[in-house]
Amino acid sequence: MNRTIQADLVLTGAAEVVTFREAPRGRMGEAVEQTTVRNGSVACRRGRIVYIGPAAECERRVHLTGNGEAVDCAGQVILPGLIDPHTHLPFAGDRAHEFRLRLRGSSYEAIGRAGGGILSTVRDTRAADEDVLVEGCLERMDRMLTFGVTTAEAKSGYGLSLRDEMRQLRAIARADRHHPVDLVPTLLAAHVVPAEYADRRQEYVELVAKQMVPAAAREQLARFCDVFVEEAAFTPNEARTILEAARRAGLGLRLHVDQLSAGRGAELAAELGATSADHLEHVSPEGMKALARAGTVAVLLPAVDLFLGKRTFPPAVDLMRAGVPVALATDCNPGSCMTENLPLAASLACMVTSMDTDEALAGMTIQAARSLSLEATHGSLEPGKAGDLAVFAVAERTRILYHFGINHCRTVVKAGKVVVRDGRRLLEESPEPEPA
Ligand code: NIG
Ligand code: FE
């Protein structure tokens, strides 16, 4: 096949072009196939990948159109653009003082019971203008992008009223329109029961199921619906009521489960046919089997455990052995994990769960895409898929995670356009957000 390929962007001569794709179940190597092209190039046209393969063949076959651009990637590693499949992006205020309280012995749960925790961010978020929420999202998306993240899930959940949840979802939609990072919006109105419903929790569950879910779906402001299932949040039965309404409204399902205590949350996620089950520190062996049977993706967030001073980590290797696809995320939020650095979260995942580095790279790419139902178009380097690429200044892929806590990402391509060059966001791509 010597057909000429037209391209408007070529990344040339990378030390490694690395991609992962789904394969039959089992631990890594079986669950996900890894392909590395040494001295490889990737070309895009009109936002999509048109070539991935050896640099020499690329030079022969790929023809750059008029004002097309070639980026020399010698000595660097090209990966699919990273995907962060669990964040709480729109929020106001911060909870640095809670971080210090925990270091002096308070627990996340005790701080929450005393009126801090999620409810304190709810107060700050309700009091903030929608424009401030949009600005906050955009700042965080800038940081994500420079770490190589080209797509992120973003949850509401700090509004907890019809008006405030919709405002958070609108802030997500506006930020998405004005930034190269694509956001996948999730309604998390069932994050905790708001203070004004403390004695009428059933009424709140009905409000979420009968008003917020239909409104979010009708206005196309959410693609997924999430519920925090935990003693201090919602029961499995309450989650069922909300998520069944979400399914009827056409939303995909994800759940925060088995994070702080064992609650048979994985079993619930599997029973409901959820796309993802997130956290899973206390997942049971039956829960793992149920997730595998249901094809639900486990989204693990071990940076949260470290940030909260917990020492129970999600059993990543057991989940993979059971045949569950494992994705990794930051959980970026002001209370339980204040970072936008997805590669750092992946390095920490390797250290505390013994995931292999290739499993972690797959967890931030193809498995993350799968956890957002985006695997047909994103998460791997294949002709026809989105031209989303992240280029790291390391000679070999392991070093992205091995040399941890610093940013190796130099170049980011979103939909076939260079949006980060020499580690810096190119600003001409981002017009100011329009007023609400
Ligand atoms: O994913 N688990 C519940 N929700 C968030 C924390 C949100 C917060 O503390 O503000 C989480 O960890
Ligand atoms: Fe979360």
Side-chain angles (χ1 to χ4, degrees):
M1 272 243 300
N2 282 323
R3 205 166 41 82
T4 303
I5 297 169
Q6 302 289 325
D8 45 35
L9 177 71
V10 194
L11 305 193
T12 61
E16 293 186 349
V17 179
V18 182
T19 187
F20 302 84
R21 71 167 88 194
E22 288 179 72
R25 35 183 65 184
R27 218 196 144 179
M28 175 77 191
E30 299 149 59
V32 175
E33 285 170 0
Q34 188 258 123
T35 310
T36 296
V37 184
R38 298 213 161 70
N39 192 15
S41 298
V42 181
C44 299
R45 181 163 199 230
R46 296 188 178 141
R48 288 170 193 263
I49 295 171
V50 290
Y51 175 87
I52 158 171
E57 184 188 337
C58 181
E59 214 166 306
R60 276 198 312 277
R61 290 181 57 203
V62 175
H63 181 260
L64 259 190
T65 52
N67 47 5
E69 184 186 356
V71 179
D72 180 5
C73 295
Q76 307 194 42
V77 170
I78 302 178
L79 284 184
L82 306 182
I83 299 176
D84 190 340
H86 182 140
T87 83
H88 301 250
L89 214 55
F91 62 83
D94 81 41
R95 289 170 25 214
H97 61 288
E98 292 184 5
F99 186 56
R100 298 185 78 186
L101 285 176
R102 281 197 300 278
L103 301 178
R104 282 185 238 129
S106 302
S107 70
Y108 179 66
E109 293 89 326
I111 293 169
R113 281 194 298 272
I118 294 170
L119 287 177
S120 86
T121 300
V122 170
R123 290 189 290 273
D124 290 342
T125 303
R126 284 178 176 178
D129 280 352
E130 190 177 303
D131 286 357
V132 171
L133 298 180
V134 176
E135 284 301 331
C137 288
L138 291 171
E139 278 172 28
R140 290 167 206 129
M141 291 154 86
D142 273 352
R143 279 183 217 114
M144 290 177 159
L145 187 68
T146 55
F147 289 120
V149 173
T150 49
T151 300
E153 187 256 15
K155 301 176 200 294
S156 64
Y158 295 123
L160 310 188
S161 70
L162 178 62
R163 170 184 166 271
D164 292 297
E165 285 293 305
M166 294 307 124
R167 236 161 51 91
Q168 271 197 290
L169 292 177
R170 268 197 307 275
I172 293 170
R174 285 175 59 198
D176 181 37
R177 280 200 293 278
H178 293 289
H179 199 282
V181 172
D182 274 336
L183 297 181
V184 177
T186 297
L187 174 71
L188 176 61
H191 198 182
V192 287
V193 176
E196 61 277 18
Y197 281 89
D199 303 324
R200 316 174 271 151
R201 52 185 301 131
Q202 189 51 33
E203 270 180 53
Y204 186 69
V205 170
E206 305 238 320
L207 175 69
V208 175
K210 295 195 178 146
Q211 292 191 39
M212 299 195 207
V213 164
R218 194 174 52 240
E219 295 182 36
Q220 298 190 333
L221 286 171
R223 243 185 271 172
F224 287 94
C225 182
D226 192 343
V227 175
F228 183 21
V229 179
E230 190 63 56
E231 273 160 38
F234 293 89
T235 66
N237 270 334
E238 291 167 341
R240 235 179 240 115
T241 302
I242 292 165
L243 293 172
E244 278 167 4
R247 190 171 37 214
R248 285 195 297 275
L251 301 180
L253 313 184
R254 31 200 344 105
L255 289 100
H256 283 68
V257 281
D258 298 330
Q259 178 191 2
L260 304 168
S261 60
R264 303 187 70 75
E267 289 86 333
L268 176 70
E271 170 205 316
L272 292 169
T275 307
S276 80
D278 302 34
H279 286 287
L280 297 171
E281 281 78 353
H282 297 273
V283 62
S284 70
E286 301 74 45
M288 296 192 216
K289 287 190 202 127
L291 292 177
R293 275 195 302 274
T296 300
V297 180
V299 175
L300 306 187
L301 313 137
V304 172
D305 305 311
L306 291 164
F307 191 81
L308 294 182
K310 307 275 183 194
R311 291 296 175 263
T312 302
F313 301 109
V317 172
D318 292 343
L319 283 159
M320 286 184 283
R321 286 211 178 108
V324 181
V326 170
L328 295 174
T330 57
D331 203 6
C332 177
N333 77 77
S336 74
C337 202
M338 190 57 205
T339 185
E340 295 90 348
N341 189 337
L342 182 60
L344 173 64
S347 290
L348 297 174
C350 293
M351 294 177 217
V352 301
T353 74
S354 302
M355 281 180 93
D356 176 68
T357 50
D358 276 351
E359 292 164 342
L361 294 175
M364 299 189 287
T365 55
I366 189 64
Q367 305 294 47
R370 192 168 167 190
S371 81
L372 295 171
S373 302
L374 291 176
E375 71 275 19
T377 50
H378 294 74
S380 63
L381 303 178
E382 294 172 62
K385 278 195 157 186
D388 292 2
L389 313 163
V391 187
F392 299 85
V394 291
E396 185 267 323
R397 64 186 182 278
T398 306
R399 295 186 193 167
I400 297 167
L401 301 179
Y402 155 73
H403 188 171
F404 74 101
I406 61 156
N407 190 6
H408 298 284
C409 185
R410 308 316 301 159
T411 305
V412 181
V413 173
K414 178 66 190 180
K417 290 208 164 52
V418 177
V419 289
V420 170
R421 205 188 288 282
D422 299 324
R424 270 172 223 268
R425 162 93 199 274
L426 298 180
L427 282 169
E428 61 269 29
E429 300 291 334
S430 96
E432 283 305 300
E434 91 277 16

